[in-house]
Amino acid sequence: MATPERRLLLEFEKPLVELEAQIQQVRDKSSELGVDVAEQVRQLEQRAAQVRREIFSQLTPGQKLQVARHPRRPSTLDYIQAISDEWMELHGDRRGTDDPAIVGGVGRVDGQPVVLLGHQKGRDTKDNVLRNFGMASPGGYRKAMRLMDHADRFGMPILTFIDTPAAWAGVDAEKFGQGEAIACNLREMFRLNVPIICTVIGEGGSGGALGIGVGDRVLMFEHSVYSVAPPEACAAILWRDAQKAPQAAESLKITATDLQRLGIIDEILAEPVGATHSDPVQAADSLKTAILRHLNELQAMSGAERRELRYQKFRRMGVFTQAS
């Protein structure tokens, strides 16, 4: 029977697993026979480190999607707790709902008062059901907007963390105004005076990501993805076959490298070898350093300058052609 750790391994990590199993076998044998195998173990560990680097430096878009969805990848709450000096979660959209798929509140980062918010997935099946797999309802986006208005009123920078396959697409979501709630956030985020830094920490999907994604700076972890639609949905629409998701992932240009080249994001945050779930502390340190650097730059500007920067940033996205 597979161990829990083994069940979380991705298909492309198999060569690494075999090496690690070999290292453990050598150690077990040395204990039984009382033989010094330190040199052999050192060589095997070096080989394993090399294989890990090779694997994670050559991931396809489809494989990056798997990494972005890894159940142990750090979540919004993980990063908030790691980078903030203190933190208090705030609840409710003041219209009768409190969507657990979006969390947010006030805190301090390096002594600076900020508002932090983002999508929150679960760690197990029960938690994922509670948080609807990070797919927010209209109430979630209205809660986020309430917190951002609070930040603007009190002059606190806004830090958002994006990690969702898409907004919730259920009947009730449409009934309670999903499209209107996201559109309202897109409009209102452009008028805010305070600095806004958005970071794609896992999966950024469709309007569900954009609902908290209008920022002066948009950062993205190296193995995260950001897309107009989940590749499975795209494949189902274009080819009527969700199994062609890897092909769709390639065509959609969902990787950080592609998106930086297209001008969608501003900075790629390097991940530890083996991705953020292999060393969450190092990932959080990298994120905090980048956020503080961008905050220093943005706080040197006036509110009007930031609004204009934000507006022009998004106006430059995309290419328009006119048919003759």
Side-chain angles (χ1 to χ4, degrees), residues 99-102 119-122 128-138 140-141 163-170 173 178 203 205 208-209 230:
D99 183 5
I102 285 188
H119 303 100
Q120 181 64 35
K121 294 180 178 178
N128 263 318
V129 170
L130 172 67
R131 297 189 183 276
N132 200 29
F133 296 85
M135 295 185 291
S137 67
Y141 292 103
D163 188 16
T164 181
W168 181 36
Q178 184 71 289
E203 184 177 10

PDB file of all heavy atoms in Angstrom, residues 99-102 119-122 128-138 140-141 163-170 173 178 203 205 208-209 230:
ATOM      1  N   ASP A  99     -18.155  34.090   2.324  1.00  0.00           N
ATOM      2  CA  ASP A  99     -17.650  33.012   1.477  1.00  0.00           C
ATOM      3  C   ASP A  99     -16.273  32.559   1.945  1.00  0.00           C
ATOM      4  O   ASP A  99     -15.316  33.342   1.912  1.00  0.00           O
ATOM      5  CB  ASP A  99     -17.586  33.512   0.038  1.00  0.00           C
ATOM      6  CG  ASP A  99     -17.133  32.442  -0.935  1.00  0.00           C
ATOM      7  OD1 ASP A  99     -16.955  31.285  -0.510  1.00  0.00           O
ATOM      8  OD2 ASP A  99     -16.946  32.765  -2.117  1.00  0.00           O
ATOM      9  N   PRO A 100     -16.117  31.293   2.378  1.00  0.00           N
ATOM     10  CA  PRO A 100     -14.799  30.811   2.839  1.00  0.00           C
ATOM     11  C   PRO A 100     -13.806  30.576   1.710  1.00  0.00           C
ATOM     12  O   PRO A 100     -12.636  30.287   1.975  1.00  0.00           O
ATOM     13  CB  PRO A 100     -15.147  29.494   3.557  1.00  0.00           C
ATOM     14  CG  PRO A 100     -16.419  29.039   2.923  1.00  0.00           C
ATOM     15  CD  PRO A 100     -17.174  30.279   2.551  1.00  0.00           C
ATOM     16  N   ALA A 101     -14.246  30.696   0.446  1.00  0.00           N
ATOM     17  CA  ALA A 101     -13.312  30.532  -0.673  1.00  0.00           C
ATOM     18  C   ALA A 101     -12.429  31.758  -0.855  1.00  0.00           C
ATOM     19  O   ALA A 101     -11.431  31.711  -1.577  1.00  0.00           O
ATOM     20  CB  ALA A 101     -14.070  30.244  -1.968  1.00  0.00           C
ATOM     21  N   ILE A 102     -12.784  32.869  -0.238  1.00  0.00           N
ATOM     22  CA  ILE A 102     -11.925  34.057  -0.206  1.00  0.00           C
ATOM     23  C   ILE A 102     -11.747  34.467   1.245  1.00  0.00           C
ATOM     24  O   ILE A 102     -12.723  34.619   1.982  1.00  0.00           O
ATOM     25  CB  ILE A 102     -12.500  35.211  -1.038  1.00  0.00           C
ATOM     26  CG1 ILE A 102     -12.301  34.930  -2.539  1.00  0.00           C
ATOM     27  CG2 ILE A 102     -11.830  36.546  -0.667  1.00  0.00           C
ATOM     28  CD1 ILE A 102     -12.663  36.075  -3.450  1.00  0.00           C
ATOM     29  N   HIS A 119      -7.731  33.924  -2.569  1.00  0.00           N
ATOM     30  CA  HIS A 119      -8.486  32.669  -2.675  1.00  0.00           C
ATOM     31  C   HIS A 119      -7.900  31.648  -1.705  1.00  0.00           C
ATOM     32  O   HIS A 119      -6.688  31.623  -1.473  1.00  0.00           O
ATOM     33  CB  HIS A 119      -8.392  32.098  -4.089  1.00  0.00           C
ATOM     34  CG  HIS A 119      -8.866  33.045  -5.160  1.00  0.00           C
ATOM     35  ND1 HIS A 119      -8.005  33.790  -5.923  1.00  0.00           N
ATOM     36  CD2 HIS A 119     -10.115  33.357  -5.571  1.00  0.00           C
ATOM     37  CE1 HIS A 119      -8.688  34.519  -6.775  1.00  0.00           C
ATOM     38  NE2 HIS A 119      -9.966  34.288  -6.584  1.00  0.00           N
ATOM     39  N   GLN A 120      -8.747  30.797  -1.162  1.00  0.00           N
ATOM     40  CA  GLN A 120      -8.282  29.773  -0.235  1.00  0.00           C
ATOM     41  C   GLN A 120      -8.856  28.416  -0.618  1.00  0.00           C
ATOM     42  O   GLN A 120     -10.061  28.208  -0.570  1.00  0.00           O
ATOM     43  CB  GLN A 120      -8.677  30.119   1.204  1.00  0.00           C
ATOM     44  CG  GLN A 120      -8.206  29.114   2.235  1.00  0.00           C
ATOM     45  CD  GLN A 120      -6.680  29.031   2.330  1.00  0.00           C
ATOM     46  OE1 GLN A 120      -5.986  30.041   2.166  1.00  0.00           O
ATOM     47  NE2 GLN A 120      -6.155  27.843   2.599  1.00  0.00           N
ATOM     48  N   LYS A 121      -7.957  27.498  -1.016  1.00  0.00           N
ATOM     49  CA  LYS A 121      -8.358  26.113  -1.268  1.00  0.00           C
ATOM     50  C   LYS A 121      -8.229  25.322   0.023  1.00  0.00           C
ATOM     51  O   LYS A 121      -7.636  25.787   0.995  1.00  0.00           O
ATOM     52  CB  LYS A 121      -7.470  25.492  -2.352  1.00  0.00           C
ATOM     53  CG  LYS A 121      -7.621  26.121  -3.724  1.00  0.00           C
ATOM     54  CD  LYS A 121      -6.695  25.439  -4.724  1.00  0.00           C
ATOM     55  CE  LYS A 121      -6.848  26.018  -6.112  1.00  0.00           C
ATOM     56  NZ  LYS A 121      -5.917  25.383  -7.088  1.00  0.00           N
ATOM     57  N   GLY A 122      -8.744  24.090   0.014  1.00  0.00           N
ATOM     58  CA  GLY A 122      -8.639  23.236   1.188  1.00  0.00           C
ATOM     59  C   GLY A 122      -7.430  22.329   1.122  1.00  0.00           C
ATOM     60  O   GLY A 122      -6.806  22.167   0.073  1.00  0.00           O
ATOM     61  N   ASN A 128     -11.762  21.157   1.238  1.00  0.00           N
ATOM     62  CA  ASN A 128     -12.011  21.631  -0.122  1.00  0.00           C
ATOM     63  C   ASN A 128     -13.498  21.823  -0.388  1.00  0.00           C
ATOM     64  O   ASN A 128     -13.894  22.782  -1.059  1.00  0.00           O
ATOM     65  CB  ASN A 128     -11.421  20.646  -1.144  1.00  0.00           C
ATOM     66  CG  ASN A 128     -10.056  21.083  -1.635  1.00  0.00           C
ATOM     67  OD1 ASN A 128      -9.824  22.256  -1.906  1.00  0.00           O
ATOM     68  ND2 ASN A 128      -9.138  20.139  -1.753  1.00  0.00           N
ATOM     69  N   VAL A 129     -14.305  20.919   0.125  1.00  0.00           N
ATOM     70  CA  VAL A 129     -15.756  21.065  -0.039  1.00  0.00           C
ATOM     71  C   VAL A 129     -16.232  22.320   0.683  1.00  0.00           C
ATOM     72  O   VAL A 129     -17.035  23.104   0.154  1.00  0.00           O
ATOM     73  CB  VAL A 129     -16.489  19.808   0.486  1.00  0.00           C
ATOM     74  CG1 VAL A 129     -18.001  20.057   0.554  1.00  0.00           C
ATOM     75  CG2 VAL A 129     -16.189  18.609  -0.410  1.00  0.00           C
ATOM     76  N   LEU A 130     -15.722  22.537   1.897  1.00  0.00           N
ATOM     77  CA  LEU A 130     -16.088  23.733   2.659  1.00  0.00           C
ATOM     78  C   LEU A 130     -15.724  24.992   1.896  1.00  0.00           C
ATOM     79  O   LEU A 130     -16.516  25.952   1.845  1.00  0.00           O
ATOM     80  CB  LEU A 130     -15.372  23.721   4.014  1.00  0.00           C
ATOM     81  CG  LEU A 130     -15.499  25.002   4.859  1.00  0.00           C
ATOM     82  CD1 LEU A 130     -16.937  25.208   5.326  1.00  0.00           C
ATOM     83  CD2 LEU A 130     -14.555  24.947   6.055  1.00  0.00           C
ATOM     84  N   ARG A 131     -14.549  25.010   1.279  1.00  0.00           N
ATOM     85  CA  ARG A 131     -14.069  26.205   0.586  1.00  0.00           C
ATOM     86  C   ARG A 131     -14.355  26.167  -0.913  1.00  0.00           C
ATOM     87  O   ARG A 131     -13.839  27.007  -1.670  1.00  0.00           O
ATOM     88  CB  ARG A 131     -12.572  26.390   0.856  1.00  0.00           C
ATOM     89  CG  ARG A 131     -12.261  26.623   2.342  1.00  0.00           C
ATOM     90  CD  ARG A 131     -10.827  27.014   2.569  1.00  0.00           C
ATOM     91  NE  ARG A 131     -10.516  27.168   3.989  1.00  0.00           N
ATOM     92  CZ  ARG A 131     -10.734  28.268   4.698  1.00  0.00           C
ATOM     93  NH1 ARG A 131     -11.288  29.321   4.108  1.00  0.00           N
ATOM     94  NH2 ARG A 131     -10.411  28.336   5.975  1.00  0.00           N
ATOM     95  N   ASN A 132     -15.152  25.199  -1.335  1.00  0.00           N
ATOM     96  CA  ASN A 132     -15.553  25.075  -2.746  1.00  0.00           C
ATOM     97  C   ASN A 132     -14.349  25.067  -3.686  1.00  0.00           C
ATOM     98  O   ASN A 132     -14.368  25.661  -4.757  1.00  0.00           O
ATOM     99  CB  ASN A 132     -16.527  26.200  -3.134  1.00  0.00           C
ATOM    100  CG  ASN A 132     -17.341  25.855  -4.376  1.00  0.00           C
ATOM    101  OD1 ASN A 132     -17.612  24.688  -4.641  1.00  0.00           O
ATOM    102  ND2 ASN A 132     -17.713  26.866  -5.136  1.00  0.00           N
ATOM    103  N   PHE A 133     -13.273  24.405  -3.248  1.00  0.00           N
ATOM    104  CA  PHE A 133     -12.065  24.236  -4.048  1.00  0.00           C
ATOM    105  C   PHE A 133     -11.474  25.585  -4.482  1.00  0.00           C
ATOM    106  O   PHE A 133     -10.851  25.697  -5.538  1.00  0.00           O
ATOM    107  CB  PHE A 133     -12.338  23.351  -5.267  1.00  0.00           C
ATOM    108  CG  PHE A 133     -12.727  21.946  -4.890  1.00  0.00           C
ATOM    109  CD1 PHE A 133     -14.051  21.630  -4.582  1.00  0.00           C
ATOM    110  CD2 PHE A 133     -11.778  20.939  -4.794  1.00  0.00           C
ATOM    111  CE1 PHE A 133     -14.419  20.340  -4.206  1.00  0.00           C
ATOM    112  CE2 PHE A 133     -12.137  19.639  -4.425  1.00  0.00           C
ATOM    113  CZ  PHE A 133     -13.457  19.348  -4.125  1.00  0.00           C
ATOM    114  N   GLY A 134     -11.700  26.617  -3.653  1.00  0.00           N
ATOM    115  CA  GLY A 134     -11.154  27.939  -3.967  1.00  0.00           C
ATOM    116  C   GLY A 134     -11.940  28.702  -5.014  1.00  0.00           C
ATOM    117  O   GLY A 134     -11.482  29.755  -5.480  1.00  0.00           O
ATOM    118  N   MET A 135     -13.116  28.203  -5.377  1.00  0.00           N
ATOM    119  CA  MET A 135     -13.942  28.887  -6.385  1.00  0.00           C
ATOM    120  C   MET A 135     -14.958  29.777  -5.662  1.00  0.00           C
ATOM    121  O   MET A 135     -15.900  29.286  -5.041  1.00  0.00           O
ATOM    122  CB  MET A 135     -14.643  27.868  -7.282  1.00  0.00           C
ATOM    123  CG  MET A 135     -13.681  27.042  -8.118  1.00  0.00           C
ATOM    124  SD  MET A 135     -14.485  25.928  -9.285  1.00  0.00           S
ATOM    125  CE  MET A 135     -15.227  24.734  -8.167  1.00  0.00           C
ATOM    126  N   ALA A 136     -14.737  31.074  -5.745  1.00  0.00           N
ATOM    127  CA  ALA A 136     -15.520  32.018  -4.952  1.00  0.00           C
ATOM    128  C   ALA A 136     -16.891  32.294  -5.535  1.00  0.00           C
ATOM    129  O   ALA A 136     -17.104  32.259  -6.748  1.00  0.00           O
ATOM    130  CB  ALA A 136     -14.746  33.328  -4.820  1.00  0.00           C
ATOM    131  N   SER A 137     -17.815  32.608  -4.651  1.00  0.00           N
ATOM    132  CA  SER A 137     -19.182  32.997  -5.008  1.00  0.00           C
ATOM    133  C   SER A 137     -19.236  34.519  -5.146  1.00  0.00           C
ATOM    134  O   SER A 137     -18.264  35.219  -4.824  1.00  0.00           O
ATOM    135  CB  SER A 137     -20.134  32.541  -3.905  1.00  0.00           C
ATOM    136  OG  SER A 137     -19.874  33.276  -2.715  1.00  0.00           O
ATOM    137  N   PRO A 138     -20.360  35.080  -5.594  1.00  0.00           N
ATOM    138  CA  PRO A 138     -20.479  36.546  -5.637  1.00  0.00           C
ATOM    139  C   PRO A 138     -20.178  37.189  -4.285  1.00  0.00           C
ATOM    140  O   PRO A 138     -19.524  38.239  -4.221  1.00  0.00           O
ATOM    141  CB  PRO A 138     -21.936  36.761  -6.051  1.00  0.00           C
ATOM    142  CG  PRO A 138     -22.286  35.538  -6.829  1.00  0.00           C
ATOM    143  CD  PRO A 138     -21.547  34.422  -6.179  1.00  0.00           C
ATOM    144  N   GLY A 140     -18.095  36.252  -2.092  1.00  0.00           N
ATOM    145  CA  GLY A 140     -16.658  36.285  -1.866  1.00  0.00           C
ATOM    146  C   GLY A 140     -16.019  37.509  -2.496  1.00  0.00           C
ATOM    147  O   GLY A 140     -15.159  38.166  -1.896  1.00  0.00           O
ATOM    148  N   TYR A 141     -16.431  37.831  -3.728  1.00  0.00           N
ATOM    149  CA  TYR A 141     -15.874  39.000  -4.404  1.00  0.00           C
ATOM    150  C   TYR A 141     -16.369  40.290  -3.758  1.00  0.00           C
ATOM    151  O   TYR A 141     -15.634  41.288  -3.705  1.00  0.00           O
ATOM    152  CB  TYR A 141     -16.193  38.943  -5.899  1.00  0.00           C
ATOM    153  CG  TYR A 141     -15.439  37.819  -6.550  1.00  0.00           C
ATOM    154  CD1 TYR A 141     -16.065  36.618  -6.892  1.00  0.00           C
ATOM    155  CD2 TYR A 141     -14.060  37.911  -6.750  1.00  0.00           C
ATOM    156  CE1 TYR A 141     -15.356  35.569  -7.428  1.00  0.00           C
ATOM    157  CE2 TYR A 141     -13.342  36.863  -7.286  1.00  0.00           C
ATOM    158  CZ  TYR A 141     -13.987  35.689  -7.620  1.00  0.00           C
ATOM    159  OH  TYR A 141     -13.263  34.649  -8.134  1.00  0.00           O
ATOM    160  N   ASP A 163      -5.325  32.138  -6.388  1.00  0.00           N
ATOM    161  CA  ASP A 163      -5.184  30.683  -6.448  1.00  0.00           C
ATOM    162  C   ASP A 163      -6.561  30.052  -6.601  1.00  0.00           C
ATOM    163  O   ASP A 163      -7.169  29.596  -5.637  1.00  0.00           O
ATOM    164  CB  ASP A 163      -4.490  30.161  -5.186  1.00  0.00           C
ATOM    165  CG  ASP A 163      -4.134  28.684  -5.272  1.00  0.00           C
ATOM    166  OD1 ASP A 163      -4.136  28.138  -6.400  1.00  0.00           O
ATOM    167  OD2 ASP A 163      -3.862  28.070  -4.221  1.00  0.00           O
ATOM    168  N   THR A 164      -7.066  30.017  -7.828  1.00  0.00           N
ATOM    169  CA  THR A 164      -8.399  29.478  -8.089  1.00  0.00           C
ATOM    170  C   THR A 164      -8.484  28.932  -9.509  1.00  0.00           C
ATOM    171  O   THR A 164      -7.905  29.530 -10.425  1.00  0.00           O
ATOM    172  CB  THR A 164      -9.474  30.572  -7.905  1.00  0.00           C
ATOM    173  OG1 THR A 164     -10.769  30.012  -8.137  1.00  0.00           O
ATOM    174  CG2 THR A 164      -9.271  31.741  -8.859  1.00  0.00           C
ATOM    175  N   PRO A 165      -9.179  27.813  -9.713  1.00  0.00           N
ATOM    176  CA  PRO A 165      -9.367  27.337 -11.085  1.00  0.00           C
ATOM    177  C   PRO A 165     -10.296  28.250 -11.876  1.00  0.00           C
ATOM    178  O   PRO A 165     -10.178  28.369 -13.093  1.00  0.00           O
ATOM    179  CB  PRO A 165      -9.968  25.937 -10.902  1.00  0.00           C
ATOM    180  CG  PRO A 165     -10.544  25.942  -9.526  1.00  0.00           C
ATOM    181  CD  PRO A 165      -9.709  26.877  -8.710  1.00  0.00           C
ATOM    182  N   ALA A 166     -11.232  28.908 -11.177  1.00  0.00           N
ATOM    183  CA  ALA A 166     -12.199  29.817 -11.808  1.00  0.00           C
ATOM    184  C   ALA A 166     -13.184  30.268 -10.738  1.00  0.00           C
ATOM    185  O   ALA A 166     -13.183  29.743  -9.621  1.00  0.00           O
ATOM    186  CB  ALA A 166     -12.951  29.118 -12.947  1.00  0.00           C
ATOM    187  N   ALA A 167     -14.004  31.229 -11.081  1.00  0.00           N
ATOM    188  CA  ALA A 167     -15.096  31.591 -10.180  1.00  0.00           C
ATOM    189  C   ALA A 167     -16.127  30.468 -10.178  1.00  0.00           C
ATOM    190  O   ALA A 167     -16.230  29.692 -11.140  1.00  0.00           O
ATOM    191  CB  ALA A 167     -15.742  32.888 -10.642  1.00  0.00           C
ATOM    192  N   TRP A 168     -16.890  30.366  -9.102  1.00  0.00           N
ATOM    193  CA  TRP A 168     -17.940  29.350  -9.018  1.00  0.00           C
ATOM    194  C   TRP A 168     -18.959  29.581 -10.138  1.00  0.00           C
ATOM    195  O   TRP A 168     -19.451  30.700 -10.337  1.00  0.00           O
ATOM    196  CB  TRP A 168     -18.614  29.424  -7.650  1.00  0.00           C
ATOM    197  CG  TRP A 168     -19.698  28.407  -7.447  1.00  0.00           C
ATOM    198  CD1 TRP A 168     -19.737  27.122  -7.914  1.00  0.00           C
ATOM    199  CD2 TRP A 168     -20.918  28.592  -6.712  1.00  0.00           C
ATOM    200  NE1 TRP A 168     -20.878  26.487  -7.520  1.00  0.00           N
ATOM    201  CE2 TRP A 168     -21.630  27.370  -6.772  1.00  0.00           C
ATOM    202  CE3 TRP A 168     -21.452  29.667  -6.006  1.00  0.00           C
ATOM    203  CZ2 TRP A 168     -22.861  27.194  -6.164  1.00  0.00           C
ATOM    204  CZ3 TRP A 168     -22.675  29.496  -5.391  1.00  0.00           C
ATOM    205  CH2 TRP A 168     -23.372  28.274  -5.475  1.00  0.00           C
ATOM    206  N   ALA A 169     -19.263  28.509 -10.870  1.00  0.00           N
ATOM    207  CA  ALA A 169     -20.153  28.616 -12.032  1.00  0.00           C
ATOM    208  C   ALA A 169     -21.508  27.964 -11.796  1.00  0.00           C
ATOM    209  O   ALA A 169     -22.199  27.596 -12.745  1.00  0.00           O
ATOM    210  CB  ALA A 169     -19.487  27.990 -13.254  1.00  0.00           C
ATOM    211  N   GLY A 170     -21.912  27.830 -10.534  1.00  0.00           N
ATOM    212  CA  GLY A 170     -23.194  27.199 -10.230  1.00  0.00           C
ATOM    213  C   GLY A 170     -24.382  28.096 -10.545  1.00  0.00           C
ATOM    214  O   GLY A 170     -24.248  29.300 -10.754  1.00  0.00           O
ATOM    215  N   ALA A 173     -24.736  30.926  -8.187  1.00  0.00           N
ATOM    216  CA  ALA A 173     -23.761  31.996  -8.423  1.00  0.00           C
ATOM    217  C   ALA A 173     -24.316  32.986  -9.437  1.00  0.00           C
ATOM    218  O   ALA A 173     -24.207  34.206  -9.267  1.00  0.00           O
ATOM    219  CB  ALA A 173     -22.446  31.421  -8.908  1.00  0.00           C
ATOM    220  N   GLN A 178     -22.935  36.689 -10.133  1.00  0.00           N
ATOM    221  CA  GLN A 178     -21.495  36.421 -10.219  1.00  0.00           C
ATOM    222  C   GLN A 178     -20.798  37.387 -11.183  1.00  0.00           C
ATOM    223  O   GLN A 178     -19.783  37.998 -10.849  1.00  0.00           O
ATOM    224  CB  GLN A 178     -21.249  34.970 -10.663  1.00  0.00           C
ATOM    225  CG  GLN A 178     -19.791  34.543 -10.692  1.00  0.00           C
ATOM    226  CD  GLN A 178     -19.186  34.390  -9.318  1.00  0.00           C
ATOM    227  OE1 GLN A 178     -18.951  35.377  -8.620  1.00  0.00           O
ATOM    228  NE2 GLN A 178     -18.950  33.162  -8.913  1.00  0.00           N
ATOM    229  N   GLU A 203      -2.856  28.591  -9.005  1.00  0.00           N
ATOM    230  CA  GLU A 203      -3.603  28.540 -10.250  1.00  0.00           C
ATOM    231  C   GLU A 203      -4.444  29.811 -10.396  1.00  0.00           C
ATOM    232  O   GLU A 203      -5.251  30.132  -9.533  1.00  0.00           O
ATOM    233  CB  GLU A 203      -4.522  27.311 -10.230  1.00  0.00           C
ATOM    234  CG  GLU A 203      -5.286  27.073 -11.501  1.00  0.00           C
ATOM    235  CD  GLU A 203      -6.127  25.800 -11.434  1.00  0.00           C
ATOM    236  OE1 GLU A 203      -6.245  25.226 -10.337  1.00  0.00           O
ATOM    237  OE2 GLU A 203      -6.671  25.406 -12.478  1.00  0.00           O
ATOM    238  N   GLY A 205      -7.208  31.279 -12.629  1.00  0.00           N
ATOM    239  CA  GLY A 205      -8.124  30.881 -13.681  1.00  0.00           C
ATOM    240  C   GLY A 205      -9.233  31.876 -13.943  1.00  0.00           C
ATOM    241  O   GLY A 205     -10.004  32.211 -13.038  1.00  0.00           O
ATOM    242  N   GLY A 208     -12.424  34.458 -12.257  1.00  0.00           N
ATOM    243  CA  GLY A 208     -12.262  34.182 -10.838  1.00  0.00           C
ATOM    244  C   GLY A 208     -10.964  34.732 -10.304  1.00  0.00           C
ATOM    245  O   GLY A 208     -10.888  35.184  -9.159  1.00  0.00           O
ATOM    246  N   ALA A 209      -9.915  34.726 -11.141  1.00  0.00           N
ATOM    247  CA  ALA A 209      -8.634  35.307 -10.753  1.00  0.00           C
ATOM    248  C   ALA A 209      -8.651  36.820 -10.918  1.00  0.00           C
ATOM    249  O   ALA A 209      -8.172  37.555 -10.064  1.00  0.00           O
ATOM    250  CB  ALA A 209      -7.513  34.694 -11.598  1.00  0.00           C
ATOM    251  N   PRO A 230      -9.577  27.376 -17.445  1.00  0.00           N
ATOM    252  CA  PRO A 230      -8.862  26.129 -17.144  1.00  0.00           C
ATOM    253  C   PRO A 230      -8.635  25.340 -18.435  1.00  0.00           C
ATOM    254  O   PRO A 230      -9.532  25.275 -19.291  1.00  0.00           O
ATOM    255  CB  PRO A 230      -9.823  25.392 -16.204  1.00  0.00           C
ATOM    256  CG  PRO A 230     -10.684  26.455 -15.617  1.00  0.00           C
ATOM    257  CD  PRO A 230     -10.855  27.485 -16.699  1.00  0.00           C
TER     258      PRO A 230
END
